[in-house]
């Protein structure tokens, strides 16, 4: 999975089921030289927001915050 994204150092992961989250956590441990954030926001909705926000030049933390913002408000 990580090999497909090349040399990117900051990665935001969205998942659809619990076992995918566990896999993402394992990947975090396997690649300590990369910043891998895991988002608990809905895959499709938050993924769309993340793509737009990243495309506008935001950093990883800003992208994660924007992607999760709508989800957290609705809770």
């Amino acid at each position: 999975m990580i090999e497909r994204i090349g040399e990117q150092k900051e990665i935001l992961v969205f998942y659809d089921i619990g076992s995918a989250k566990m896999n993402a956590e394992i990947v975090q441990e396997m690649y300590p030289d990369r910043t891998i954030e895991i988002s608990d926001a809905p895959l499709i909705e938050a993924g769309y927001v993340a793509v737009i926000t990243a495309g506008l030049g935001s950093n990883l933390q800003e992208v994660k915050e924007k992607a999760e913002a709508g989800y957290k408000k609705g809770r």
Side-chain angles (χ1 to χ4, degrees), residues 12-49:
L12 181 58
V13 177
F14 295 93
Y15 63 93
D16 55 351
I17 57 176
S19 61
K21 182 179 183 181
M22 290 187 316
N23 287 334
E25 291 168 343
I26 291 168
V27 170
Q28 279 180 314
E29 294 175 12
M30 291 174 57
Y31 294 91
D33 60 323
R34 297 182 183 210
T35 303
I36 302 173
E37 294 282 339
I38 301 172
S39 175
D40 289 324
L43 175 66
I44 302 300
E45 297 88 340
Y48 178 79
V49 172

Side-chain angles (χ1 to χ4, degrees), residues 48-70:
Y48 178 79
V49 172
V51 168
I52 299 300
T53 305
L56 293 172
S58 297
N59 66 39
L60 177 65
Q61 195 58 42
E62 293 168 334
V63 171
K64 184 177 180 187
E65 288 171 7
K66 288 278 188 182
E68 292 177 346

